[in-house]
Amino acid sequence: MYRFKQSLHFFKPKNSTFINSSRRFSHQSQLENAGPMASRLKTRSVIRFTGPETVKFLQGLVTNDLRRLENPQPEDRTTLTTTNAPFVSVPPVYAALLTPQGRFLYDMFLYRPPRDDEKLNRTGSGPGPDSGELELFADVDGSELDELLQTLKKYRLRSKVEIESVADDFSCWQRFGQDLTQKSSEEPDTASLGWGGGFDRSGQSSSQGNNCGWLWYRDPRLDCLGFRGIFPFNTTPPLVEADKETNEENYLLWRLEKGVAEGSAEIPKGEAVPLEYNLAGLNGISFDKGCYVGQELIARTHHRGVIRKRLLPLKFVNDSGKEVEQKVAPRSEVIDASSGKKAGTVTTSLGSRGLGLLRLDEAFKGSLTIRGLDDVKVQAIKPEWWPAEWLSDQQEQTSTA
């Protein structure tokens, strides 16, 4: 749980839809109306897995089904044309590693660069030569990198997989904005552009990518989050003009509005129940795969269908409805002002926005405030992407209680 240090200088654009990388939007409405932007995610790092048992090893650890990365189905494949030869691209998978008791530890985005045996020949009629062992890259929380590496190596035992940090070689990026959310037609252009990947660490770019390219992919959690990718360190990815690169705080604001937490700082390590933090709705959990660490609690909670608390976007305002900034800290208690009953807890805050884990039977009463800050009102917002049954199930449970 944390709060970003506030910028001292706010940018108020008139005709522009982007900001300098050292500044952040002072009002959420500016961000909501902004066009495509991109942020290098300095809070994230990259881990590389190699070896014939890479997928088998991770499959027994994380919450999602990784078999599609090893043997992708036709619906998971996208054939891209490059300057050399076409190859098949497989979208990344979002997943989490849990404690044996089913509590959250780490989240990760798992990427598989195109393998030689899946690169089509120049005629596009068949695959190229076999490349050998599988290679995966994981976009992970940078603040937990060393501990995560230790945890993975503890579980490795005799598995034939090598695990190493490549944080000095690669950076994680996010491309987001209103135009990307609305214009799905941009996806083919975005997905066809990339840097040299795999073993081409020099990062020489091509407007058409190349036959082992690092690409932008639709964020595997939600389309409204935009595109995500891993690219060679100290290079600017395709489609990111200098005037559209922006501070990572703006990506955080974008996520806060959507109600999406990321990393161990926002999803409390060793405490958070993944279903309460909406990981199932973010395509981070498979209920059809085999066993993994912490599965028992997840499966039992899911099939019982009783989830009384969920993570929600929050807006902090005064009595007149004007947004108030820098007044609410993480771990602040959200209460119902009329009854004094605790409704939940603020988990993340930035400016006038935040995320909070709230009881669904209290979240939308319209009388929420912060304990000890009677002049600050809390507005909980239901994200557009939420399945309707999340609230209808809660209403049914309340009526039968």
Side-chain angles (χ1 to χ4, degrees):
M1 302 181 185
Y2 67 95
R3 176 172 54 183
F4 269 99
K5 182 178 179 181
Q6 304 296 317
S7 172
L8 297 178
H9 302 285
F10 297 146
F11 182 63
K12 299 181 179 181
K14 295 182 179 179
N15 301 316
S16 178
T17 59
F18 50 82
I19 67 171
N20 182 283
S21 62
S22 64
R23 299 174 179 174
R24 74 169 176 86
F25 282 96
S26 58
H27 297 289
Q28 188 72 10
S29 59
Q30 296 174 358
L31 187 61
E32 290 170 352
N33 297 323
M37 296 172 290
S39 296
R40 181 164 73 89
L41 307 181
K42 299 178 182 179
T43 59
R44 307 290 292 187
S45 292
V46 183
I47 291 175
R48 178 175 179 256
F49 300 88
T50 54
E53 295 183 350
T54 293
V55 169
K56 179 181 177 181
F57 166 70
L58 290 169
Q59 182 76 355
L61 289 182
V62 302
T63 56
N64 218 333
D65 193 341
L66 305 186
R67 290 175 294 183
R68 72 183 88 168
L69 295 177
E70 186 172 37
N71 298 299
Q73 300 301 307
E75 60 269 19
D76 293 326
R77 297 168 178 254
T78 301
T79 301
L80 305 176
T81 302
T82 70
T83 54
N84 296 314
F87 64 89
V88 175
S89 172
V90 179
V93 175
Y94 180 61
L97 178 61
L98 312 180
T99 68
Q101 295 76 33
R103 305 288 175 164
F104 176 90
L105 280 178
Y106 317 101
D107 65 351
M108 60 186 71
F109 299 80
L110 288 153
Y111 296 80
R112 195 201 72 177
R115 296 188 307 187
D116 288 339
D117 60 324
E118 289 195 341
K119 294 174 196 169
L120 304 179
N121 61 32
R122 292 180 180 275
T123 66
S125 60
D130 188 7
S131 68
E133 63 185 25
L134 180 65
E135 180 181 46
L136 294 182
F137 289 81
D139 161 350
V140 302
D141 186 341
S143 66
E144 303 290 343
L145 177 61
D146 292 340
E147 185 177 306
L148 174 55
L149 286 169
Q150 291 175 5
T151 301
L152 291 169
K153 291 177 181 178
K154 178 185 71 175
Y155 280 115
R156 179 174 56 182
L157 300 177
R158 297 182 180 179
S159 297
K160 296 178 181 178
V161 56
E162 296 298 324
I163 307 166
E164 62 177 331
S165 168
V166 288
D168 293 335
D169 298 319
F170 295 96
S171 296
C172 305
W173 286 75
Q174 188 85 19
R175 193 163 179 264
F176 60 101
Q178 194 62 36
D179 288 351
L180 292 182
T181 300
Q182 295 175 342
K183 297 178 181 178
S184 61
S185 61
E186 185 168 356
E187 180 175 356
D189 293 336
T190 301
S192 67
L193 292 176
W195 292 91
F199 304 101
D200 178 13
R201 306 256 172 123
S202 62
Q204 297 300 311
S205 67
S206 165
S207 63
Q208 298 296 318
N210 67 29
N211 66 337
C212 192
W214 288 102
L215 312 173
W216 286 110
Y217 294 93
R218 275 285 181 191
D219 192 302
R221 297 167 296 180
L222 298 169
D223 283 352
C224 64
L225 292 175
F227 294 83
R228 199 171 183 106
I230 293 175
F231 297 92
F233 193 75
N234 285 336
T235 58
T236 302
L239 300 178
V240 181
E241 297 82 1
D243 56 5
K244 291 187 180 180
E245 183 180 341
T246 185
N247 194 298
E248 187 177 351
E249 288 186 2
N250 288 312
Y251 168 57
L252 172 59
L253 282 173
W254 187 258
R255 281 195 293 103
L256 295 187
E257 191 216 13
K258 311 304 179 188
V260 178
E262 183 174 299
S264 303
E266 297 177 34
I267 311 175
K269 186 173 64 174
E271 301 176 13
V273 176
L275 295 179
E276 293 181 346
Y277 280 73
N278 305 325
L279 263 65
L282 297 173
N283 299 312
I285 299 175
S286 170
F287 297 103
D288 300 321
K289 64 173 287 186
C291 295
Y292 58 88
V293 176
Q295 181 202 25
E296 184 178 352
L297 174 67
I298 301 301
R300 185 169 64 246
T301 304
H302 172 69
H303 293 299
R304 191 171 58 205
V306 180
I307 302 174
R308 294 187 173 88
K309 296 184 293 183
R310 285 194 182 274
L311 192 72
L312 284 158
L314 304 178
K315 181 192 294 186
F316 309 120
V317 300
N318 59 22
D319 290 331
S320 62
K322 182 179 179 180
E323 296 184 13
V324 295
E325 297 210 9
Q326 303 186 48
K327 297 198 71 172
V328 180
R331 296 190 181 274
S332 298
E333 284 192 12
V334 180
I335 63 172
D336 183 344
S338 60
S339 66
K341 183 179 179 180
K342 181 179 177 180
T345 304
V346 176
T347 61
T348 307
S349 65
L350 177 61
S352 63
R353 297 299 173 116
L355 295 173
L357 186 65
L358 305 184
R359 291 182 60 89
L360 294 179
D361 58 355
E362 299 283 344
F364 303 104
K365 287 186 174 181
S367 56
L368 300 182
T369 187
I370 299 295
R371 189 181 298 277
L373 295 174
D374 295 338
D375 58 334
V376 176
K377 310 304 177 186
V378 179
Q379 297 177 357
I381 303 165
K382 185 182 88 66
E384 294 181 0
W385 60 268
W386 269 31
E389 59 266 23
W390 281 5
L391 285 181
S392 61
D393 289 349
Q394 175 60 34
Q395 293 168 352
E396 181 178 340
Q397 294 163 17
T398 303
S399 64
T400 57

PDB file of all heavy atoms in Angstrom, residues 356-375:
ATOM      1  N   GLY A 356      -9.988   1.187  -2.994  1.00  0.00           N
ATOM      2  CA  GLY A 356     -10.348   0.763  -1.655  1.00  0.00           C
ATOM      3  C   GLY A 356     -11.001  -0.598  -1.665  1.00  0.00           C
ATOM      4  O   GLY A 356     -11.749  -0.938  -2.599  1.00  0.00           O
ATOM      5  N   LEU A 357     -10.701  -1.395  -0.658  1.00  0.00           N
ATOM      6  CA  LEU A 357     -11.349  -2.688  -0.479  1.00  0.00           C
ATOM      7  C   LEU A 357     -12.566  -2.461   0.417  1.00  0.00           C
ATOM      8  O   LEU A 357     -12.422  -2.214   1.620  1.00  0.00           O
ATOM      9  CB  LEU A 357     -10.371  -3.677   0.155  1.00  0.00           C
ATOM     10  CG  LEU A 357     -10.852  -5.120   0.267  1.00  0.00           C
ATOM     11  CD1 LEU A 357     -11.056  -5.741  -1.117  1.00  0.00           C
ATOM     12  CD2 LEU A 357      -9.878  -5.957   1.085  1.00  0.00           C
ATOM     13  N   LEU A 358     -13.751  -2.508  -0.179  1.00  0.00           N
ATOM     14  CA  LEU A 358     -14.984  -2.149   0.522  1.00  0.00           C
ATOM     15  C   LEU A 358     -15.980  -3.294   0.536  1.00  0.00           C
ATOM     16  O   LEU A 358     -16.043  -4.107  -0.396  1.00  0.00           O
ATOM     17  CB  LEU A 358     -15.653  -0.940  -0.147  1.00  0.00           C
ATOM     18  CG  LEU A 358     -14.827   0.337  -0.324  1.00  0.00           C
ATOM     19  CD1 LEU A 358     -15.706   1.431  -0.906  1.00  0.00           C
ATOM     20  CD2 LEU A 358     -14.204   0.793   0.985  1.00  0.00           C
ATOM     21  N   ARG A 359     -16.789  -3.323   1.587  1.00  0.00           N
ATOM     22  CA  ARG A 359     -17.922  -4.239   1.643  1.00  0.00           C
ATOM     23  C   ARG A 359     -18.950  -3.785   0.623  1.00  0.00           C
ATOM     24  O   ARG A 359     -19.336  -2.605   0.587  1.00  0.00           O
ATOM     25  CB  ARG A 359     -18.537  -4.248   3.038  1.00  0.00           C
ATOM     26  CG  ARG A 359     -17.668  -4.876   4.115  1.00  0.00           C
ATOM     27  CD  ARG A 359     -18.395  -4.887   5.449  1.00  0.00           C
ATOM     28  NE  ARG A 359     -19.636  -5.650   5.343  1.00  0.00           N
ATOM     29  CZ  ARG A 359     -19.746  -6.975   5.548  1.00  0.00           C
ATOM     30  NH1 ARG A 359     -18.658  -7.669   5.865  1.00  0.00           N
ATOM     31  NH2 ARG A 359     -20.898  -7.588   5.443  1.00  0.00           N
ATOM     32  N   LEU A 360     -19.414  -4.696  -0.215  1.00  0.00           N
ATOM     33  CA  LEU A 360     -20.340  -4.332  -1.275  1.00  0.00           C
ATOM     34  C   LEU A 360     -21.683  -3.869  -0.735  1.00  0.00           C
ATOM     35  O   LEU A 360     -22.379  -3.080  -1.382  1.00  0.00           O
ATOM     36  CB  LEU A 360     -20.523  -5.507  -2.241  1.00  0.00           C
ATOM     37  CG  LEU A 360     -19.272  -5.894  -3.044  1.00  0.00           C
ATOM     38  CD1 LEU A 360     -19.571  -7.090  -3.935  1.00  0.00           C
ATOM     39  CD2 LEU A 360     -18.787  -4.721  -3.887  1.00  0.00           C
ATOM     40  N   ASP A 361     -22.072  -4.343   0.450  1.00  0.00           N
ATOM     41  CA  ASP A 361     -23.355  -3.904   1.007  1.00  0.00           C
ATOM     42  C   ASP A 361     -23.277  -2.507   1.608  1.00  0.00           C
ATOM     43  O   ASP A 361     -24.310  -1.927   1.981  1.00  0.00           O
ATOM     44  CB  ASP A 361     -23.871  -4.904   2.049  1.00  0.00           C
ATOM     45  CG  ASP A 361     -22.895  -5.124   3.202  1.00  0.00           C
ATOM     46  OD1 ASP A 361     -21.775  -4.565   3.140  1.00  0.00           O
ATOM     47  OD2 ASP A 361     -23.245  -5.844   4.156  1.00  0.00           O
ATOM     48  N   GLU A 362     -22.068  -1.938   1.694  1.00  0.00           N
ATOM     49  CA  GLU A 362     -21.897  -0.595   2.228  1.00  0.00           C
ATOM     50  C   GLU A 362     -21.364   0.388   1.181  1.00  0.00           C
ATOM     51  O   GLU A 362     -21.493   1.602   1.339  1.00  0.00           O
ATOM     52  CB  GLU A 362     -20.904  -0.624   3.401  1.00  0.00           C
ATOM     53  CG  GLU A 362     -21.319  -1.482   4.584  1.00  0.00           C
ATOM     54  CD  GLU A 362     -22.367  -0.808   5.442  1.00  0.00           C
ATOM     55  OE1 GLU A 362     -22.551   0.423   5.317  1.00  0.00           O
ATOM     56  OE2 GLU A 362     -23.004  -1.507   6.254  1.00  0.00           O
ATOM     57  N   ALA A 363     -20.770  -0.126   0.108  1.00  0.00           N
ATOM     58  CA  ALA A 363     -19.967   0.707  -0.795  1.00  0.00           C
ATOM     59  C   ALA A 363     -20.750   1.802  -1.499  1.00  0.00           C
ATOM     60  O   ALA A 363     -20.215   2.895  -1.737  1.00  0.00           O
ATOM     61  CB  ALA A 363     -19.277  -0.186  -1.831  1.00  0.00           C
ATOM     62  N   PHE A 364     -22.012   1.567  -1.838  1.00  0.00           N
ATOM     63  CA  PHE A 364     -22.727   2.501  -2.708  1.00  0.00           C
ATOM     64  C   PHE A 364     -23.859   3.228  -1.984  1.00  0.00           C
ATOM     65  O   PHE A 364     -24.822   3.663  -2.605  1.00  0.00           O
ATOM     66  CB  PHE A 364     -23.254   1.746  -3.929  1.00  0.00           C
ATOM     67  CG  PHE A 364     -22.175   1.043  -4.706  1.00  0.00           C
ATOM     68  CD1 PHE A 364     -22.020  -0.334  -4.612  1.00  0.00           C
ATOM     69  CD2 PHE A 364     -21.280   1.753  -5.499  1.00  0.00           C
ATOM     70  CE1 PHE A 364     -21.013  -0.997  -5.311  1.00  0.00           C
ATOM     71  CE2 PHE A 364     -20.273   1.105  -6.198  1.00  0.00           C
ATOM     72  CZ  PHE A 364     -20.133  -0.263  -6.101  1.00  0.00           C
ATOM     73  N   LYS A 365     -23.736   3.390  -0.676  1.00  0.00           N
ATOM     74  CA  LYS A 365     -24.782   4.054   0.102  1.00  0.00           C
ATOM     75  C   LYS A 365     -24.756   5.572  -0.042  1.00  0.00           C
ATOM     76  O   LYS A 365     -25.725   6.252   0.278  1.00  0.00           O
ATOM     77  CB  LYS A 365     -24.667   3.673   1.579  1.00  0.00           C
ATOM     78  CG  LYS A 365     -25.108   2.252   1.872  1.00  0.00           C
ATOM     79  CD  LYS A 365     -25.111   1.970   3.358  1.00  0.00           C
ATOM     80  CE  LYS A 365     -25.694   0.589   3.664  1.00  0.00           C
ATOM     81  NZ  LYS A 365     -25.719   0.313   5.125  1.00  0.00           N
ATOM     82  N   GLY A 366     -23.639   6.136  -0.482  1.00  0.00           N
ATOM     83  CA  GLY A 366     -23.575   7.577  -0.693  1.00  0.00           C
ATOM     84  C   GLY A 366     -23.273   8.376   0.550  1.00  0.00           C
ATOM     85  O   GLY A 366     -23.330   9.614   0.526  1.00  0.00           O
ATOM     86  N   SER A 367     -22.941   7.727   1.658  1.00  0.00           N
ATOM     87  CA  SER A 367     -22.660   8.447   2.902  1.00  0.00           C
ATOM     88  C   SER A 367     -21.305   8.053   3.472  1.00  0.00           C
ATOM     89  O   SER A 367     -21.111   8.037   4.682  1.00  0.00           O
ATOM     90  CB  SER A 367     -23.752   8.160   3.937  1.00  0.00           C
ATOM     91  OG  SER A 367     -23.892   6.756   4.164  1.00  0.00           O
ATOM     92  N   LEU A 368     -20.365   7.744   2.596  1.00  0.00           N
ATOM     93  CA  LEU A 368     -19.053   7.292   3.050  1.00  0.00           C
ATOM     94  C   LEU A 368     -18.115   8.466   3.300  1.00  0.00           C
ATOM     95  O   LEU A 368     -18.143   9.475   2.583  1.00  0.00           O
ATOM     96  CB  LEU A 368     -18.427   6.358   2.013  1.00  0.00           C
ATOM     97  CG  LEU A 368     -19.201   5.084   1.668  1.00  0.00           C
ATOM     98  CD1 LEU A 368     -18.416   4.247   0.665  1.00  0.00           C
ATOM     99  CD2 LEU A 368     -19.509   4.270   2.917  1.00  0.00           C
ATOM    100  N   THR A 369     -17.270   8.326   4.298  1.00  0.00           N
ATOM    101  CA  THR A 369     -16.266   9.329   4.617  1.00  0.00           C
ATOM    102  C   THR A 369     -15.030   8.622   5.161  1.00  0.00           C
ATOM    103  O   THR A 369     -15.014   7.398   5.313  1.00  0.00           O
ATOM    104  CB  THR A 369     -16.805  10.356   5.622  1.00  0.00           C
ATOM    105  OG1 THR A 369     -15.856  11.412   5.784  1.00  0.00           O
ATOM    106  CG2 THR A 369     -17.077   9.705   6.972  1.00  0.00           C
ATOM    107  N   ILE A 370     -13.985   9.400   5.442  1.00  0.00           N
ATOM    108  CA  ILE A 370     -12.746   8.864   6.003  1.00  0.00           C
ATOM    109  C   ILE A 370     -12.745   9.098   7.508  1.00  0.00           C
ATOM    110  O   ILE A 370     -13.010  10.210   7.971  1.00  0.00           O
ATOM    111  CB  ILE A 370     -11.519   9.544   5.364  1.00  0.00           C
ATOM    112  CG1 ILE A 370     -11.481   9.286   3.844  1.00  0.00           C
ATOM    113  CG2 ILE A 370     -10.231   9.042   6.016  1.00  0.00           C
ATOM    114  CD1 ILE A 370     -11.281   7.850   3.451  1.00  0.00           C
ATOM    115  N   ARG A 371     -12.466   8.057   8.252  1.00  0.00           N
ATOM    116  CA  ARG A 371     -12.423   8.212   9.707  1.00  0.00           C
ATOM    117  C   ARG A 371     -11.353   9.250  10.091  1.00  0.00           C
ATOM    118  O   ARG A 371     -10.201   9.167   9.670  1.00  0.00           O
ATOM    119  CB  ARG A 371     -12.108   6.881  10.369  1.00  0.00           C
ATOM    120  CG  ARG A 371     -12.257   6.929  11.899  1.00  0.00           C
ATOM    121  CD  ARG A 371     -11.928   5.607  12.551  1.00  0.00           C
ATOM    122  NE  ARG A 371     -12.804   4.525  12.130  1.00  0.00           N
ATOM    123  CZ  ARG A 371     -14.017   4.287  12.653  1.00  0.00           C
ATOM    124  NH1 ARG A 371     -14.493   5.100  13.593  1.00  0.00           N
ATOM    125  NH2 ARG A 371     -14.735   3.262  12.222  1.00  0.00           N
ATOM    126  N   GLY A 372     -11.771  10.235  10.868  1.00  0.00           N
ATOM    127  CA  GLY A 372     -10.873  11.299  11.280  1.00  0.00           C
ATOM    128  C   GLY A 372     -10.792  12.456  10.315  1.00  0.00           C
ATOM    129  O   GLY A 372     -10.151  13.468  10.602  1.00  0.00           O
ATOM    130  N   LEU A 373     -11.430  12.337   9.144  1.00  0.00           N
ATOM    131  CA  LEU A 373     -11.461  13.421   8.145  1.00  0.00           C
ATOM    132  C   LEU A 373     -12.911  13.640   7.735  1.00  0.00           C
ATOM    133  O   LEU A 373     -13.333  13.268   6.634  1.00  0.00           O
ATOM    134  CB  LEU A 373     -10.601  13.069   6.930  1.00  0.00           C
ATOM    135  CG  LEU A 373      -9.094  12.923   7.138  1.00  0.00           C
ATOM    136  CD1 LEU A 373      -8.424  12.437   5.854  1.00  0.00           C
ATOM    137  CD2 LEU A 373      -8.473  14.247   7.575  1.00  0.00           C
ATOM    138  N   ASP A 374     -13.680  14.267   8.610  1.00  0.00           N
ATOM    139  CA  ASP A 374     -15.112  14.419   8.352  1.00  0.00           C
ATOM    140  C   ASP A 374     -15.411  15.304   7.149  1.00  0.00           C
ATOM    141  O   ASP A 374     -16.513  15.256   6.592  1.00  0.00           O
ATOM    142  CB  ASP A 374     -15.801  15.008   9.592  1.00  0.00           C
ATOM    143  CG  ASP A 374     -15.734  14.060  10.781  1.00  0.00           C
ATOM    144  OD1 ASP A 374     -15.548  12.851  10.550  1.00  0.00           O
ATOM    145  OD2 ASP A 374     -15.842  14.534  11.930  1.00  0.00           O
ATOM    146  N   ASP A 375     -14.431  16.140   6.740  1.00  0.00           N
ATOM    147  CA  ASP A 375     -14.649  17.026   5.600  1.00  0.00           C
ATOM    148  C   ASP A 375     -14.344  16.350   4.263  1.00  0.00           C
ATOM    149  O   ASP A 375     -14.477  16.978   3.210  1.00  0.00           O
ATOM    150  CB  ASP A 375     -13.797  18.291   5.740  1.00  0.00           C
ATOM    151  CG  ASP A 375     -12.305  17.989   5.848  1.00  0.00           C
ATOM    152  OD1 ASP A 375     -11.957  16.879   6.308  1.00  0.00           O
ATOM    153  OD2 ASP A 375     -11.490  18.854   5.467  1.00  0.00           O
TER     154      ASP A 375
END
